[in-house]
């Protein structure tokens, strides 16, 4: 709020800390500032209610009388009658009998239940696929130039229609696998939302911020931030121009923070830096019909209903969407000599059933001291990646498949081999990332052919590497 003295003031809830991250200098329908509040923490037991409906979270109900003058009140998730006449729903992110550390669920209190919709019907999937056998396997090192964003003057494309599967492995039916997608869009989702029944989406915007409305509330996610929309959560994406980014999808596991081991209690991505939206609802009827798009077993289906699904007035639980600013990552690195494995840059991991082996890791390469190497699928949010400064551009990507050699190009190798051995800060203004997986990923037909962004000259960046072997070399005497 602004007053005559020009100073900015905000309302704060009791015990809530002020954070500039809550200020968003953009509105979907014009200029101004919208304040988006968040809850801090990772995997916490959160609770939130829209301040327009105080007391909307069930706090207790008289269950029986022990004496004529004494009643016993118990907290309930699903009381006989919810406050404000709301419906109680549980969204389960795990089996009911999972151990407490991995048991995920949230209770949502909504104006109308999500079950009130017309039957799902199949819809065109576009370039979203789970068919890993479209084309023959390609073990070569692959690099893509920045993926093309369609012009709004030529064709309106929203987040869902702009999803393109690049590569992946596994199977949604057996709940074991991953998919890597690109999204390129230029218009907001209007009276439609997306719901992924197959797995979790880790979304990495590269160009343009996105305002995500979920059943739990709103999140503004900008380049250099990520967000995770977990399985079964409905969301809609607003954009403010030509927008591009990356998506890592995992089937059968949820993302969690990696174990720190000898690093100790603090380091890498700290739990307090993850932000979960607060409750926000709209009680809106849609006469022309609201479309719910469901990704199920690798296919898309749509259903119609007469109201907005973002009608959750209050919620509580530990199964939520969340966002994270990559600038908050605490870098751990080698400071004396040698090259540490990129696992020290892991932000989030989705574990497989094999101990110590991840289904997928989300790894970043922020500004740091000393150079680094990388492998598997890589993307670039901003800046210039040191190992290949030419050719690897923001909005593009590379894929180095299992057991396929890869590494720095000639210029990087020669520069690093002759540089003065002193502490050096690298990658300022750069944020590269990696989707690393234990799966052997197959590239789709869209990735190899249709997108027409594959750089077929990529292999040539290693051609200038020359032989340095000298059989007459001897160790210098100390």
């Amino acid at each position: 709020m602004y007053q005559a003295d020009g100073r900015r003031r905000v309302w704060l809830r009791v015990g809530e800390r002020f954070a500039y991250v809550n200020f968003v200098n953009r509105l979907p329908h014009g200029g101004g500032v919208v304040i988006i509040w968040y809850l801090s923490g990772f995997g916490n037991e959160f609770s939130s209610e829209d301040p327009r409906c105080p007391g909307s979270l069930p706090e207790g109900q008289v269950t029986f009388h022990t004496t004529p003058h004494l009643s016993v009140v118990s907290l309930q998730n699903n009381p006989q009658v919810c406050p404000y006449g709301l419906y109680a729903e549980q969204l389960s992110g795990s089996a009911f009998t999972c151990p407490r550390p991995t048991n995920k669920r949230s209770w949502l209190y909504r104006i109308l239940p999500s079950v009130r919709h017309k039957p799902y019907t199949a819809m065109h999937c576009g370039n979203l696929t789970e068919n890993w056998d479209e084309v023959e396997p390609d073990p070569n090192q692959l690099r893509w130039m920045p993926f093309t964003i369609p012009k709004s003057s030529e064709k309106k494309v929203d987040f869902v229609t702009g999803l393109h599967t690049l590569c992946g492995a596994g199977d949604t039916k057996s709940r074991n696998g991953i998919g890597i997608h690109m999204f390129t869009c230029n218009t907001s989702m209007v009276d439609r939302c997306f719901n992924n029944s197959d797995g979790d989406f880790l979304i990495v915007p590269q160009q343009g911020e996105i305002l995500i409305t979920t059943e739990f509330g709103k999140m503004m996610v900008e380049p250099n931030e990520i967000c995770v929309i977990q399985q079964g959560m409905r969301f809609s994406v607003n954009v403010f121009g030509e927008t591009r980014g990356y998506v890592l999808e995992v089937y059968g596991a949820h993302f969690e923070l990696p174990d720190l081991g000898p690093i100790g209690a603090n380091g890498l991505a700290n739990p307090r830096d993850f932000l979960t939206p607060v409750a926000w609802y709209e009680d809106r009827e849609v006469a022309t019909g609201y479309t719910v798009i469901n990704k199920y077993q690798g296919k898309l289906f749509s259903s119609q209903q007469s109201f907005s699904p973002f009608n959750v007035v209050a919620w509580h639980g530990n199964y939520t969407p969340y966002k994270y600013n990559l600038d908050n990552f605490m870098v751990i690195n080698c400071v004396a000599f040698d090259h540490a494995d990129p696992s020290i840059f892991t932000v989030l991991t989705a574990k497989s059933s094999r101990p110590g082996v991840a289904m997928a890791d989300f790894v970043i390469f922020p500004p740091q001291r000393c150079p680094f190497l990388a492998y598997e699928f890589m993307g670039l949010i901003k800046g210039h990646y040191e190992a290949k400064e030419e050719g690897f551009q923001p909005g593009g990507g590379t894929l180095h498949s299992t057991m396929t050699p890869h590494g720095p190009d000639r210029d990087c190798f020669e520069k690093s081999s002759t540089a003065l051995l002193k502490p050096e800060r690298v990658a300022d203004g750069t944020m590269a990332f990696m989707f690393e997986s234990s799966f052997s990923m197959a590239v789709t037909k869209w990735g190899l052919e249709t997108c027409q962004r594959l750089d077929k000259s990529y292999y040539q960046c290693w051609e200038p590497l020359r032989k340095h072997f000298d059989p007459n070399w001897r160790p210098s005497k100390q």
Side-chain angles (χ1 to χ4, degrees):
M1 298 183 299
Y2 294 89
Q3 293 186 1
D5 60 5
R7 298 177 65 185
R8 181 163 56 178
R9 294 169 171 84
V10 299
W11 289 103
L12 291 178
R13 296 182 176 89
V14 176
E16 188 172 31
R17 66 184 176 91
F18 172 77
Y20 276 105
V21 70
N22 295 328
F23 281 87
V24 178
N25 293 300
R26 188 68 68 87
L27 288 172
H29 305 294
V33 174
V34 60
I35 300 177
I36 300 180
W37 301 107
Y38 300 96
L39 303 169
S40 173
F42 187 89
N44 297 17
E45 285 287 340
F46 295 110
S47 63
S48 181
E49 58 184 32
D50 192 303
R52 291 173 289 176
C53 296
S56 48
L57 277 170
E59 292 187 352
Q61 180 170 317
V62 177
T63 54
F64 59 88
H65 297 275
T66 57
T67 71
H69 305 290
L70 180 64
S71 299
V72 176
V73 178
S74 63
L75 297 178
Q76 295 192 16
N77 295 319
N78 189 13
Q80 184 178 22
V81 178
C82 290
Y84 294 92
L86 299 171
Y87 287 87
E89 287 185 356
Q90 179 174 245
L91 178 61
S92 298
S94 65
F96 297 141
T97 53
C98 275
R100 279 186 181 270
T102 57
N103 204 300
K104 305 293 182 184
R105 61 89 184 92
S106 285
W107 281 91
L108 288 71
Y109 302 94
R110 60 199 317 153
I111 297 170
L112 281 172
S114 56
V115 72
R116 198 185 121 174
H117 63 81
K118 303 298 184 185
Y120 282 105
T121 57
M123 62 181 289
H124 181 58
C125 296
N127 293 309
L128 192 67
T129 183
E130 194 196 303
N131 183 0
W132 312 129
D133 299 315
E134 291 180 302
V135 292
E136 291 297 313
D138 188 341
N140 290 303
Q141 303 95 341
L142 302 177
R143 180 169 69 189
W144 290 269
M145 305 302 288
F147 292 93
T148 304
I149 307 173
K151 299 291 184 182
S152 58
S153 58
E154 299 173 359
K155 183 180 181 182
K156 299 289 187 182
V157 179
D158 67 15
F159 176 83
V160 176
T161 53
L163 281 171
H164 310 276
T165 305
L166 192 61
C167 57
D171 177 43
T172 56
K173 300 182 185 69
S174 61
R175 308 285 295 120
N176 186 42
I178 69 168
I180 294 176
H181 317 282
M182 296 297 303
F183 69 90
T184 54
C185 53
N186 55 38
T187 193
S188 299
M189 297 173 65
V190 178
D191 291 338
R192 53 195 241 144
C193 69
F194 185 72
N195 166 54
N196 189 356
S197 295
D198 291 336
D200 294 6
F201 266 10
L202 188 157
I203 302 173
V204 186
Q206 183 274 318
Q207 177 177 317
E209 63 265 43
I210 55 177
L211 177 61
I212 301 180
T213 302
T214 76
E215 294 166 291
F216 294 79
K218 292 176 178 286
M219 297 186 294
M220 179 66 83
V221 189
E222 302 179 2
N224 216 51
E225 295 183 322
I226 63 168
C227 73
V228 173
I229 310 292
Q230 304 196 72
Q231 181 186 13
M233 297 177 181
R234 298 177 179 183
F235 68 98
S236 183
V237 178
N238 276 29
V239 301
F240 309 98
E242 295 181 355
T243 307
R244 177 173 56 206
Y246 309 82
V247 177
L248 171 59
E249 181 183 14
V250 294
Y251 325 135
H254 297 301
F255 290 103
E256 56 188 274
L257 295 175
D259 296 327
L260 294 180
I263 291 175
N266 305 292
L268 308 187
N270 290 311
R272 73 186 299 265
D273 293 323
F274 287 83
L275 301 175
T276 292
V278 298
W280 176 89
Y281 76 91
E282 61 178 5
D283 184 10
R284 183 167 66 92
E285 297 288 328
V286 184
T288 55
Y290 196 103
T291 304
V292 178
I293 301 170
N294 184 16
K295 181 176 180 290
Y296 176 74
Q297 294 187 2
K299 304 291 185 180
L300 293 183
F301 300 83
S302 66
S303 172
Q304 294 294 311
Q305 58 189 50
S306 61
F307 58 94
S308 167
F310 306 120
N311 60 359
V312 176
V313 177
W315 61 267
H316 74 85
N318 63 355
Y319 190 56
T320 68
Y322 53 88
K323 61 175 277 188
Y324 176 75
N325 190 321
L326 300 179
D327 281 339
N328 292 329
F329 188 80
M330 177 183 166
V331 178
I332 305 291
N333 210 337
C334 49
V335 296
F337 59 88
D338 230 331
H339 168 63
D341 293 324
S343 53
I344 62 171
F345 302 114
T346 301
V347 178
L348 293 169
T349 184
K351 295 180 179 177
S352 73
S353 58
R354 291 178 290 166
V357 179
M359 180 182 295
D361 286 332
F362 175 65
V363 180
I364 65 172
F365 301 100
Q368 57 188 291
R369 298 176 82 92
C370 91
F372 45 81
L373 309 175
Y375 53 97
E376 301 298 347
F377 180 84
M378 285 198 64
L380 187 60
I381 299 173
K382 61 181 181 178
H384 300 278
Y385 183 57
E386 187 198 23
K388 298 175 186 67
E389 291 193 9
E390 300 296 330
F392 185 37
Q393 301 175 34
T398 63
L399 179 66
H400 302 141
S401 299
T402 302
M403 299 303 174
T404 296
H406 52 274
D409 59 19
R410 177 186 178 276
D411 290 342
C412 179
F413 180 85
E414 297 293 342
K415 178 182 176 182
S416 299
S417 299
T418 58
L420 181 64
L421 293 179
K422 64 177 182 178
E424 180 183 358
R425 186 172 175 86
V426 299
D428 276 329
T430 293
M431 183 62 73
F433 70 88
M434 178 168 63
F435 297 152
E436 185 180 11
S437 176
S438 58
F439 289 100
S440 180
M441 290 184 284
V443 184
T444 63
K445 184 177 180 180
W446 181 85
L448 285 178
E449 301 173 9
T450 311
C451 73
Q452 297 184 352
R453 303 306 293 162
L454 188 65
D455 181 1
K456 296 183 180 180
S457 66
Y458 181 35
Y459 73 95
Q460 295 177 2
C461 74
W462 292 288
E463 291 292 299
L465 286 167
R466 58 190 178 89
K467 183 170 65 175
H468 292 275
F469 175 68
D470 180 4
N472 299 316
W473 180 89
R474 296 293 182 269
S476 60
K477 295 182 180 181
Q478 300 295 330

